[in-house]
Amino acid sequence: MTNIISVQSLKKQFQVAGGLFEKKEFVNAVLDVSFDIKEGETFSLVGESGCGKSTTGRLITRLIDPTEGKIFVNGNDIAKAKYSELTQLRETVQMIFQDPYASLNPRMKVKDLIAEPLVIHTKLNKQEREKLVYEMLEIVGLNVEQANRYAHEFSGGQRQRIGIARALITKPKLIIADEPVSALDVSIQSQILNLLKRLQQEYNVSFLFISHDLSVVEHISHRVGVMYLGTIVEQGDKEAIFNNPLHPYTKALLSSVPIADPTLRREKIILTGDIPNPKNPPSGCTFHTRCPYAMDICKSKIPDIQQVNSQQAVACHLVNSIQ
Ligand code: SF4
Ligand code: MG
């Protein structure tokens, strides 16, 4: 299967203070992130808030510019491309947001909201656009009578369906979905997740799914990357990550999630302490201040991510003893 996107050693540093005479301070929101997403695949980034998963999504769409690293879309590195050169990226990648209401213009009718990407990216006339909009409304589970209404007339779940229709209408290859169900009731969450799964099969679209919610990630993903303080600490097939987590941080995250298969047992690690301030991250392995297995080497040496079996890669100095 071909890679739709390939991200290599991505890094983003934000300047946070720095008036004229103030000392400049930096936050490393994304320290070192690499992954590929294949055609028709869902890759999820999961981690606590502030771990850099949303920033990674925004870097890939070039809503913000990376400090370092490469982002290959259809084989071309777009990490440093000028805004005017990003046409191909805009056609290939679309986004769905956590709060569809905030991202939908309240003064536009639903049919115009959904048609907007077609106006920007295609030369279709009004009639052709409307035909596609009406088809798309049905596909996402809305109906054509709702086309002339405004976003505020819809429920949260319906608004997310509008957001999905808008993202899908140009037939992108990749949709970045940043916490797309976390503002919705649990019963509505599963409807939207099932809709995304169905659309993936119909359109062979890939998803970069960003979520802090492990049960959502387990439901939707093929592969998973676990992020902590701007780094992917473990990456692999969904089944391997959930059934056999190897990194101490992944084990800690999963300790709060019930296991579906009663024959499996997972080691429980209860996380203590808060996530360190990303302005001043711990040296070496950034998880060492919270890790029950931390050794001397963890305080000074950053562990490289290493493939430990056919399904998983882990960044931990215990790597040789945890395989
Ligand atoms: Fe824990 Fe050390 Fe592994 Fe980091 S490298 S997760 S501190 S054992
Ligand atoms: Mg976020």
Side-chain angles (χ1 to χ4, degrees):
M1 270 196 292
T2 38
N3 285 336
I4 295 301
I5 197 153
S6 180
V7 173
Q8 295 175 6
S9 308
L10 204 57
K11 184 171 177 166
K12 179 64 185 177
Q13 200 172 53
F14 290 109
Q15 190 179 331
V16 281
L20 204 48
F21 303 107
E22 272 178 75
K23 195 171 146 270
K24 283 184 186 169
E25 279 192 292
F26 294 96
V27 168
N28 291 305
V30 175
L31 267 176
D32 184 3
V33 165
S34 302
F35 58 82
D36 301 326
I37 305 180
K38 295 191 174 18
E39 204 175 68
E41 173 182 67
T42 299
F43 177 72
S44 294
L45 287 175
V46 65
E48 293 163 285
S49 73
C51 68
K53 52 195 194 306
S54 291
T55 305
T56 303
R58 291 160 64 82
L59 287 169
I60 293 173
T61 51
R62 287 288 308 270
L63 286 171
I64 48 175
D65 294 332
T67 310
E68 276 174 36
K70 295 186 188 324
I71 304 165
F72 289 98
V73 176
N74 299 326
N76 300 315
D77 180 13
I78 55 97
K80 295 270 184 306
K82 293 195 195 76
Y83 192 80
S84 58
E85 297 164 351
L86 291 174
T87 338
Q88 200 187 21
L89 172 74
R90 308 267 176 252
E91 282 166 10
T92 309
V93 183
Q94 290 289 325
M95 262 194 110
I96 309 173
F97 299 91
Q98 172 175 355
D99 179 1
Y101 193 51
S103 61
L104 299 174
N105 184 335
R107 284 180 294 276
M108 281 170 80
K109 288 180 178 169
V110 161
K111 64 176 183 190
D112 298 323
L113 285 169
I114 297 174
E116 198 174 38
L118 294 175
V119 177
I120 300 168
H121 298 298
T122 72
K123 294 191 167 55
L124 298 178
N125 65 33
K126 193 161 183 269
Q127 235 178 349
E128 292 165 328
R129 290 197 301 263
E130 272 196 3
K131 185 170 173 284
L132 287 178
V133 168
Y134 291 148
E135 277 172 21
M136 195 48 79
L137 278 169
E138 303 262 356
I139 288 166
V140 300
L142 296 167
N143 59 58
V144 290
E145 288 79 52
Q146 294 168 314
N148 286 311
R149 300 209 192 142
Y150 295 88
H152 71 86
E153 298 176 64
F154 291 85
S155 66
Q158 286 173 321
R159 282 179 204 150
Q160 198 51 288
R161 288 175 194 271
I162 297 168
I164 292 167
R166 191 181 143 92
L168 201 65
I169 196 143
T170 52
K171 307 268 182 342
K173 297 251 189 291
L174 173 72
I175 293 180
I176 299 180
D178 189 356
E179 302 277 6
V181 297
S182 40
L184 305 173
D185 291 342
V186 175
S187 60
I188 310 293
Q189 285 191 355
S190 52
Q191 288 178 17
I192 297 294
L193 293 175
N194 291 337
L195 172 65
L196 291 174
K197 279 185 157 183
R198 178 165 66 73
L199 294 174
Q200 178 163 64
Q201 298 212 313
E202 277 172 35
Y203 292 91
N204 202 26
V205 63
S206 309
F207 289 113
L208 170 59
F209 198 92
I210 296 168
S211 179
H212 70 284
D213 186 333
L214 285 153
S215 49
V216 166
V217 167
E218 187 173 20
H219 187 78
I220 194 97
S221 317
H222 298 108
R223 286 189 307 118
V224 176
V226 179
M227 281 190 80
Y228 186 77
L229 274 181
T231 325
I232 293 186
V233 296
E234 179 162 5
Q235 181 172 168
D237 293 351
K238 188 254 310 265
E239 283 77 17
I241 299 283
F242 278 81
N243 294 337
N244 181 32
L246 295 176
H247 192 282
Y249 180 63
T250 316
K251 290 182 184 179
L253 275 188
L254 285 168
S255 292
S256 57
V257 179
I259 310 176
D261 181 347
T263 61
L264 289 171
R265 270 178 170 275
R266 276 196 307 243
E267 179 192 2
K268 282 205 184 305
I269 295 181
I270 305 304
L271 268 186
T272 53
D274 292 328
I275 304 181
N277 186 342
K279 263 198 254 177
N280 190 15
S283 57
C285 170
T286 51
F287 188 55
H288 85 250
T289 51
R290 300 170 86 192
C291 179
Y293 303 108
M295 308 165 282
D296 276 346
I297 187 178
C298 306
K299 295 178 190 151
S300 55
K301 193 170 184 292
I302 300 173
D304 289 330
I305 191 150
Q306 290 184 53
Q307 199 70 36
V308 293
N309 58 40
S310 60
Q311 288 118 34
Q312 273 154 297
V314 181
C316 173
H317 292 305
L318 286 170
V319 78
N320 294 321
S321 52
I322 58 180
Q323 288 178 57

